[in-house]
Amino acid sequence: MSEAKTTSYVTTPIYYVNDRPHLGHVYTTMVADVIARHHRLRGDDTFFLTGTDEHAAKIVDAAKAQGLSTQECVDRHSAAFQEVFARLEMTHDDFLRTSEERHKEKVTRYMRELLESGDVYPGQYVGWYDPGQEEYVTESRAKAQDYVGEISGKPLERREETNYFFRLSAFRNTLLEMYEARDREGAPFVKPPARKNEILNRIKEAEDVPISRTGSGGWGIPIPGDETQTIYVWIDALFNYLTTVDVDERRHYWRCGAVHFIAKDILWFHAAIWPALLIALGRRPGYEWVNLPRQVYSHSYWVSDSGVKMSKSLGNFLDPGAIDAYVEEFGLDALRYFLATRGPLGVSDSAFNPELFTEVYNADLANTFGNACSRVTNMIGKYFGGRLPEPGPAVPAAIDLEAVAEAAVEKVTAAFDRLDLKRAGEGALELVRAVNGYVEQTEPFRMAKDEARLPEVGTVLGRCLEALRIASVLLAPFLPDRCAEFWRRIGQADLAEALANRGTGDLAAWARWGRLLPGTVIEAGKPLFPRYQK
Ligand code: MSP
């Protein structure tokens, strides 16, 4: 494991505020939150950004339908996102709203640069538009989609308008070369790899794209020098990742290479238009610091049982009320763990299956991690009056917990580096299972019947608790609350204190064998994850 402290910048999409948040938004934000917490645990200087995308044309319509002014509407819905994320204890370092002055001012500046370089130029658009996705659609794609929106299923609109265009076609080769170079370096620009070919084929034929619109009724950011045109919402939105950190004390986060979490519906914007915009801007004097993101991670969808994408326009979503019910019954950590390890991070969609939820909860959390913690702390209570004993003579066992722990740390950090959260969770649980195996092999409960062998029982239980402590450190990004409680019970409250309020940890030191001191008061307490019975 690398012990070097690095800088890390993690983002989520900024969400449209035409309606309430749902499981899909919560999912991406939670995944990014788990990653951000892991980086903080490693001691990295970490910046985690989320926010709301407020200049969409459909927001003007939604406000009208709800009898609100546009500003009132975005204020209300953005507050709903902030409230849900706060309630779910997301640890974002900033929440960007595109209607904020700090954002508008920077976007105007970037746009001025692009107009001056000629990468943005006035032209005439004749073609298709998908109002559901707020997206311009080329003739060939429109035809392939039977002239209806890919997600909404509603008819595409024919558009003829004077707009400003971004010279995307001029960046085809630069983009393709960038993709190749990243592959050669073993750090692909887009993940998972299955999504890449489609993007490359589209880049090869990329035409210039309209980036402004008229008739927005003054809602949005005007094109500098042409008040009749508003910057197209997608261009405005993509720039959020840059505007938020384009201040002296944060620019180093951009430089370190952002990792953008998104879902597959918005991959094209992030995988082609966004890097091209950045390359164009980075060529301007004073913007040499604008490099490209490290990676765009495009996950799949949560779908309903019938396989339809959960979305607010389709009204089939697990809304905050339903999410709260899970938190109430199982705890926030259980929801985080389930979403992060069993969600659609790969190329297949997932249906939110309540039976699978309880199965995973019982198997991984109640019966494995929670049970091992109870078992070991209870035995320390029973045989040693709740104090960690001095280690006694060595006890022969096939399982070497210290070696298993060391390997687990390696595996989990490597899995986090690959953004493979399922594997990261499994890597930590393997260590917990090794503790159970070691207890079966050494049988401390049998040894304890013979008082002369208590020192050996002390050896065994000390090793078990040390291994569980290391497992809990690895699991903390998934289970921050329950791990903090476990740490308190085993005299490690300083770990939780260091991580509180977006603090940083020291994984290398915390995962080293031997941090637990004999004599420490150990409290068994109630089960960390009570078994769920229907
Ligand atoms: N505003 C744009 C994004 C601009 S980013 C510069 C947008 N907003 S959105 O509100 O529609 O949110 C889309 C994102 O929400 C997806 O990319 C994904 O991260 C998340 N999800 C929305 N529905 C989802 C599912 N059903 N399943 C998984 N994630 C989902 O697009």
Side-chain angles (χ1 to χ4, degrees), residues 28 45 75 82 84 91 97 100 147 165 175-176 196 211 251 304 307 310 322 357 412 414 430 435 463 479 517:
T28 312
D45 178 10
D75 285 350
Q82 293 179 57
V84 168
T91 59
R97 299 182 56 188
E100 288 176 86
Y147 302 95
F165 282 75
L175 288 174
L176 294 172
K196 199 184 64 189
I211 59 137
R251 245 168 243 123
S304 66
M310 264 187 211
F357 184 97
V412 173
E430 277 163 22
V435 170
R463 295 184 75 77
L479 309 170
L517 299 178

Side-chain angles (χ1 to χ4, degrees), residues 284-526:
R284 302 295 297 161
Y287 287 90
E288 296 79 4
W289 58 276
V290 174
N291 56 352
L292 293 187
R294 184 197 309 255
Q295 197 156 69
V296 174
Y297 194 101
S298 151
H299 62 71
S300 302
Y301 296 145
W302 285 102
V303 291
S304 66
D305 278 338
S306 48
V308 180
K309 177 182 182 253
M310 264 187 211
S311 84
K312 34 195 181 195
S313 4
L314 301 176
N316 59 352
F317 55 83
L318 205 56
D319 64 16
I323 292 170
D324 284 347
Y326 276 88
V327 173
E328 181 82 11
E329 176 84 51
F330 300 93
L332 181 51
D333 283 5
L335 182 72
R336 291 171 65 87
Y337 179 82
F338 179 75
L339 294 185
T341 63
R342 301 303 197 282
L345 211 46
V347 288
S348 343
D349 294 340
S350 311
F352 188 93
N353 177 338
E355 278 90 59
L356 182 65
F357 184 97
T358 48
E359 196 182 303
V360 168
Y361 172 84
N362 275 339
D364 290 8
L365 302 181
N367 297 347
T368 303
F369 181 53
N371 185 50
C373 294
S374 296
R375 202 174 177 197
V376 170
T377 52
N378 278 325
M379 282 194 277
I380 292 172
K382 190 164 165 196
Y383 306 133
F384 299 98
R387 263 183 204 278
L388 191 66
E390 290 287 344
V395 176
I399 295 177
D400 175 355
L401 281 185
E402 193 172 337
V404 177
E406 205 173 300
V409 177
E410 288 276 351
K411 272 187 226 167
V412 173
T413 41
F416 266 109
D417 286 341
R418 293 193 310 274
L419 308 178
D420 184 348
L421 295 186
K422 182 150 200 269
R423 199 53 212 114
E426 274 166 11
L429 285 188
E430 277 163 22
L431 176 55
V432 178
R433 288 196 193 97
V435 170
N436 285 334
Y438 176 75
V439 169
E440 298 310 323
Q441 283 177 10
T442 54
E443 301 188 308
F445 36 85
R446 192 186 300 270
M447 273 193 269
K449 289 183 182 144
D450 175 358
E451 196 152 330
R453 298 194 70 188
L454 272 183
E456 286 165 84
V457 177
T459 306
V460 167
L461 295 182
R463 295 184 75 77
C464 286
L465 195 62
E466 185 60 8
L468 289 176
R469 185 192 64 78
I470 293 173
S472 70
V473 169
L474 297 174
L475 285 167
F478 297 103
L479 309 170
D481 173 67
R482 299 286 74 199
C483 289
E485 171 60 13
F486 181 57
W487 294 339
R488 189 191 62 72
R489 293 179 188 181
I490 64 169
Q492 305 282 304
D494 57 322
L495 305 189
E497 271 156 35
L499 293 178
N501 302 318
R502 301 180 185 81
T504 51
D506 186 348
L507 180 60
W510 294 3
R512 208 170 287 139
W513 190 268
R515 198 176 194 272
L516 276 175
L517 299 178
T520 306
V521 173
I522 306 295
E523 184 190 323
K526 291 199 188 108

Side-chain angles (χ1 to χ4, degrees), residues 51-202:
T52 42
D53 183 355
E54 306 190 358
H55 289 142
K58 60 185 168 192
I59 284 162
V60 179
D61 302 336
K64 273 199 200 110
Q66 294 168 31
L68 300 169
S69 76
T70 314
Q71 189 64 49
E72 273 170 348
C73 178
V74 296
D75 285 350
R76 190 175 289 188
H77 290 302
S78 178
F81 275 90
Q82 293 179 57
E83 191 271 321
V84 168
F85 291 168
R87 196 143 36 86
L88 297 176
E89 295 175 26
M90 304 295 182
T91 59
H92 41 286
D93 296 278
D94 202 347
F95 188 101
L96 188 277
R97 299 182 56 188
T98 54
S99 62
E100 288 176 86
E101 214 38 60
R102 60 169 171 157
H103 173 76
K104 295 199 274 190
E105 184 252 331
K106 295 253 165 51
V107 172
T108 309
R109 248 201 268 167
Y110 304 154
M111 196 49 68
R112 221 175 255 131
E113 294 290 340
L114 298 178
L115 281 161
E116 213 168 294
S117 67
D119 290 309
V120 170
Y121 64 93
Q124 186 73 24
Y125 181 75
V126 183
W128 299 99
Y129 182 73
D130 177 347
Q133 292 298 96
E134 306 247 346
E135 189 174 350
Y136 293 91
V137 185
T138 59
E139 181 60 44
S140 59
R141 284 182 72 79
K143 194 168 170 201
Q145 294 169 208
D146 278 337
Y147 302 95
V148 296
E150 226 173 2
I151 293 186
S152 66
K154 291 191 187 135
L156 297 180
E157 284 172 9
R158 189 75 186 159
R159 284 276 172 99
E160 273 195 53
E161 50 187 37
T162 306
N163 310 86
Y164 288 82
F165 282 75
F166 173 53
R167 212 178 285 285
L168 181 61
S169 62
F171 293 89
R172 288 178 193 162
N173 288 338
T174 316
L175 288 174
L176 294 172
E177 282 160 18
M178 182 274 288
Y179 270 86
E180 255 177 51
R182 292 290 180 98
D183 284 352
R184 270 200 308 276
E185 290 158 16
F189 187 67
V190 165
K191 267 184 111 173
R195 303 237 179 273
K196 199 184 64 189
N197 279 343
E198 187 204 328
I199 293 293
L200 294 186
N201 290 336
R202 260 180 100 174

